[in-house]
């Protein structure tokens, strides 16, 4: 009788863990019922909404590994701080390149509804753009709601789910959809309350506090962003139209803090998230075409034994390198952008230089 080895299955989760809460814990536990290996593609120091992540990327990776993840790779700039479409594209491109079997995510709506919306969304792209040109003052999310007939802004997980499905469909990556449990407090609500005791799973707050700068706030770097805008940075950066550039540089000349700057710039045409993303894009000169390109490498933030076994198993089939030290990609333009960002970031939050950081390694239930 032949001996058949069980086929190992791995999924990827595109995440921020800003901070890691009970909903995230529930998601990872559910995924472990279906998959042998869970890979987290963790947004770097900035979030998709253009905010500074509440804790260091390595600290958030550490939390993920102790709560169900096996391998954590970075989703770098500018993908981690881009529109839902580019954020999803970047994560999906990296997931496909490292060889997982599926992309997993949670959403408010059921899978059939989301797949139908994703199909309609793809077919309606030109109609959405035409509605923006016609009205002149509509933001992209508002125009999409009008054309699709769906209330998307109140369901942020559905917005990303639709983009995940579209991006995954283009590269033939299966999707595993979980229903988002509404009983768990969101990361936004937890941050708004100042990360109260009991809001996070056991041990999470303690792990995050290993980062001396926790909890970080976007306003910490507000003067840097305003100074960059007052200095009239070059035009043509990712996500910044002529209209948005003119509005932002004009408002920045008199704004007293970054929060009031964002509030003044926000309106029917520009969401607060878009304004924040555009500020970072101008401050660090994000190339306009870069988020439309696949992520060129995976920076290893942390792993356990299962995660390392996955890396060995996929070593010959991966189409991008997985590196443990950023300097291994020093000739890459994405690496150079991230290195430049990290050096500025370190002036505000401290810590070791990026090239000296090492992945979090878990061995036999201990950090090695």
């Amino acid at each position: 009788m032949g001996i058949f080895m069980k086929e190992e299955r791995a999924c990827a989760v595109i995440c921020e863990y800003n901070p890691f809460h009970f909903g995230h814990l529930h998601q990872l536990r559910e995924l472990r019922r279906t998959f042998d290996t869970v890979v987290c593609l963790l947004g770097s120091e900035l979030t998709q909404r253009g905010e500074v992540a509440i804790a260091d990327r390595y600290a958030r990776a550490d939390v993920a590994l102790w709560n169900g993840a096996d391998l954590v790779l970075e989703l770098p700039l500018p993908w981690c701080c881009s529109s839902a479409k580019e954020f999803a594209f970047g994560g999906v491109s990296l997931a496909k390149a490292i060889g997982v079997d599926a992309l997993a995510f949670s959403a408010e709506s059921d899978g059939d509804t989301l797949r139908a919306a994703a199909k309609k969304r793809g077919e309606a792209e030109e109609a959405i753009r035409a509605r923006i040109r016609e009205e002149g003052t509509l933001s992209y999310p508002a125009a999409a709601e009008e054309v699709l007939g769906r209330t998307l802004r109140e369901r942020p997980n559905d917005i990303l789910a639709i983009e995940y499905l579209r991006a995954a469909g283009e590269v033939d990556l299966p999707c595993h959809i979980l229903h988002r449990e509404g009983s768990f407090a969101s990361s936004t609500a937890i941050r708004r309350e100042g990360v109260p005791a009991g809001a996070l799973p056991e041990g999470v707050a303690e792990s995050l506090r290993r980062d001396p700068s926790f909890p970080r706030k976007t306003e910490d770097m507000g003067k840097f962003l305003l100074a960059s805008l007052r200095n009239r940075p070059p035009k043509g950066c990712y996500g910044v139209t002529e209209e948005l550039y003119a509005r932002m540089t004009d408002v920045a000349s008199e704004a007293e803090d970054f929060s009031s700057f964002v509030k003044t710039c926000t309106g029917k045409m520009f969401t607060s998230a878009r304004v924040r993303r555009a500020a970072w894009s101008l401050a660090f000169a994000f190339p306009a075409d870069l988020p439309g390109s696949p992520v060129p490498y995976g920076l290893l933030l942390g792993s356990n034994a299962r995660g390392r076994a996955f890396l060995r198993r996929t070593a010959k089939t991966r189409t991008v390198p997985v590196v443990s030290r950023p300097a291994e990609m020093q000739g890459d333009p994405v690496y150079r952008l991230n290195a430049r960002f990290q050096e500025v970031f370190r002036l505000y939050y401290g810590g070791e230089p990026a090239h000296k950081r090492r992945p979090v390694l878990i061995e036999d239930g201990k950090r090695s």
Side-chain angles (χ1 to χ4, degrees), residues 250-295:
D250 181 56
V251 173
S253 65
E254 296 187 3
E256 301 204 357
D257 57 64
F258 190 66
S259 296
S260 62
F261 161 80
V262 172
K263 187 175 182 179
T264 303
C265 290
T266 300
K268 287 185 177 180
M269 195 170 185
F270 307 118
T271 65
S272 59
R274 184 174 180 186
V275 171
R276 287 190 295 267
R277 290 194 299 261
W280 293 108
S281 180
L282 288 168
F284 288 96
F286 293 173
D289 60 345
L290 190 54
S293 305
V295 177

Side-chain angles (χ1 to χ4, degrees), residues 60-273:
R60 287 178 286 129
D62 181 77
V63 166
L65 290 169
W66 289 107
N67 287 278
D70 300 306
L71 176 68
V72 186
L73 304 180
E74 179 190 45
L75 181 63
L77 289 168
W79 293 272
C80 68
C81 184
S82 57
S83 71
K85 180 179 179 181
E86 277 87 16
F87 180 83
F89 172 77
V92 168
S93 75
L94 184 54
K96 180 69 175 180
I98 63 173
V100 296
D101 300 288
L103 178 73
F105 53 87
S106 301
E108 290 91 351
S109 299
D110 64 86
D112 289 342
T113 299
L114 290 169
R115 289 185 175 89
K119 184 175 185 297
K120 186 176 181 181
R121 163 78 172 73
E123 295 169 347
E125 183 67 29
E126 181 50 41
I128 294 170
R129 298 292 179 187
R131 184 73 185 103
I132 293 173
R133 291 193 296 270
E134 176 186 322
E135 178 62 29
T137 60
L138 279 181
S139 66
Y140 188 93
E145 285 186 358
E146 285 192 13
V147 173
L148 298 176
R150 288 176 56 84
T151 305
L152 294 173
R153 284 171 292 182
E154 297 176 4
R155 294 186 165 193
N157 289 282
D158 277 7
I159 295 175
L160 282 172
I162 289 170
E163 296 300 342
Y164 290 152
L165 285 165
R166 291 186 65 207
E170 291 175 359
V171 297
D172 195 27
L173 179 64
C175 290
H176 182 82
I177 306 173
L178 298 173
H179 177 69
R180 184 181 184 277
E181 293 290 340
S183 59
F184 299 117
S186 69
S187 294
T188 301
I190 292 170
R191 292 195 306 274
R192 189 183 300 124
E193 294 297 319
V195 195
L200 306 180
E202 183 179 358
V204 170
E206 291 77 3
S207 293
L208 294 179
R209 288 193 179 98
R210 292 193 182 95
D211 172 13
S213 63
F214 172 83
R216 300 169 172 178
K217 296 180 180 179
T218 306
E219 196 62 51
D220 298 340
M221 293 185 68
K223 288 186 177 180
F224 165 78
L225 292 170
L226 289 177
S228 299
L229 292 167
R230 289 185 182 185
N231 197 36
R232 298 277 170 169
K235 296 181 181 180
C237 295
Y238 164 72
V240 189
T241 62
E242 288 280 351
E243 296 87 350
L244 183 53
Y245 182 93
R247 183 166 181 76
M248 291 175 67
T249 52
D250 181 56
V251 173
S253 65
E254 296 187 3
E256 301 204 357
D257 57 64
F258 190 66
S259 296
S260 62
F261 161 80
V262 172
K263 187 175 182 179
T264 303
C265 290
T266 300
K268 287 185 177 180
M269 195 170 185
F270 307 118
T271 65
S272 59

